[in-house]
Amino acid sequence: MSRDNSQSRPHRFGFLLLPNFSLIAFSSGIEPLRMANWVTGDDCYETVLISHDGEAVASSFGVKTLVDCSLADIPQLDAIFVCGASPIARTGNEMVLGWLRRQSRSNMALGGIGTGSYLLACAGLLNGYRATIHWWDMASLRDEFPDTQVTNNLFEIDANRYTCSGGTAAMDMMLFLIGQHYDMNLAASISEQFICERMRSGDDQQRVPLKARIGASQPKLIEAVTLMEANIEEPLSTEDLAFHVGVSRRHLERLFKKHLQTVPSKYYLELRLEMARQLLRQSDKPALQVGLACGFSSASYFSTAYRNHYGLTPREERKREAEASAPGSGGVKLGRSSLLRN
C-alpha cells in the first residue's frame, strides 16, 4: 500500500509538548504514524516535535523528550497537535496561546490530545466546534467555554479541529485519520500490530465513573449502581437492590431521580444494553448469547429493547460494525485530510 500519487511529500504533523504532558497520550498519538510507515514501507508520515524554546520537555512522569524545534522555527506543517499538561496548567500559557492563534490564521489543522483541548479552547480556537477532553476536565471545559460543544466521545473530528480525551484514545483518533487518508485495511493492520482488540470509533464514549459525576456524597446510590454492574447476566429487582443497599425502594427511586434523572429499572436496562452493544461490537458471540449474557430472557425481548434504545436491532448493529471495519470502507468523512511520517 503506497502513498497517493497526488502527494509529493510525506504529510507533516507537529506535536507541541507542554511541560508535564501525558506520556501515554503522546505515545498513543505518535506511534500509529510510525507504524504506518513501517507497514507500508513508505514515508507516509513525518512527525515534528516542538517545545516553546526548543529544549527537551519533561512529561508528567519526569521522562524528558528531545524535540526538533522551537515555536519560532517550525517547518511547514499540515497539522499541529497540542499535548497538554497533566493536570491542566491554567497559567503561564500566554506565549503558546498567541502562537496557536497565529497558526490558525493559515487554516492550519489544530488538534488537542488530552488537556491540549483546553489550550485550544483558551485560544478561542474551539468556538463553534465539537470537541472533547478527558472526563476529569469535562465539566470545567463546558463551564469556561460555553461556545464549544463539549461531548463525552473518545475523540472528535470537526472540520480542521481534532481533539481526543487523552490516554489510548489518541491512538483511536490517529487510526481513524489514517483510515480516512488511506483505507481501513491499513488502519486495521496498525491496530493488529499494537494488539488492539478493536478500533474504537468517534461515537464511542468515555466511561465516566459515577463518583466523578455525582460526587462521593451519595454512597447508597453508588453502591446500588455497583450492584447493578456486578449483576448484568441475572439482574436484581429494584426491591432486591434496595434491600442490599439498606434503604426502602421509594428512597432508592428518589436517589436515582434526583441525581441521575431516571428510575432504577431504566438505568439498569440502559446499563445492560450498553454492555450488549460492547459485546456485539467486540465479540463474535451470536446475538442470542449476547442477549442472555446481558440479562435478556428471550431473543425477541432483547431485539425490541435494543431497537427502542439504539434505533436498530442487534443483528443490524453487528452488520453495521462489520461494514465499517471492512477493508476499503470509507467511514465518516473528514472536513479535511492531512497526515504524516517517522
Side-chain angles (χ1 to χ4, degrees), residues 8 23 38 63 78 87 108 125 231 234 248 265 275 325 336:
S8 58
L23 195 59
W38 186 84
V63 177
D78 298 299
M108 171 77 69
L125 302 176
N231 292 275
E234 297 183 6
S248 68
S265 58
M275 177 62 72
S325 302
R336 169 177 170 172

Side-chain angles (χ1 to χ4, degrees), residues 55 86 301:
E55 297 297 320
S86 179
Y301 174 32

Side-chain angles (χ1 to χ4, degrees), residues 116-129:
S117 303
Y118 182 81
L119 269 291
L120 294 179
C122 286
L125 302 176
L126 293 181
N127 292 342
Y129 289 91

Side-chain angles (χ1 to χ4, degrees), residues 25 82-90 111-122 126 129-145 148-157 162-167 169-170 173 202 204-209:
V82 182
C83 298
S86 179
I88 288 177
R90 298 181 182 276
I113 293 179
T115 63
S117 303
Y118 182 81
L119 269 291
L120 294 179
C122 286
L126 293 181
Y129 289 91
R130 293 190 318 276
T132 191
I133 197 169
H134 192 278
W135 59 262
W136 184 267
D137 301 300
M138 198 174 298
S140 61
L141 190 67
R142 285 197 178 106
D143 290 342
E144 293 181 47
F145 306 102
T148 299
Q149 184 183 340
V150 181
T151 77
N152 188 34
N153 291 344
L154 289 177
F155 63 88
E156 283 287 356
I157 307 295
Y162 312 150
T163 57
C164 75
S165 53
M173 180 171 69
D204 278 314
Q205 295 192 336
Q206 302 178 58
R207 182 158 180 79
V208 182

Side-chain angles (χ1 to χ4, degrees), residues 205-227:
Q205 295 192 336
Q206 302 178 58
R207 182 158 180 79
V208 182
L210 184 63
K211 187 177 292 188
R213 281 187 279 160
I214 65 173
S217 62
Q218 299 300 325
K220 295 297 184 181
L221 179 57
I222 293 171
E223 186 179 351
V225 171
T226 301
L227 277 171

Side-chain angles (χ1 to χ4, degrees), residues 46-63:
E46 182 176 337
T47 56
V48 178
L49 306 189
I50 310 163
S51 69
H52 77 281
D53 58 2
E55 297 297 320
V57 187
S59 72
S60 57
F61 190 63
V63 177

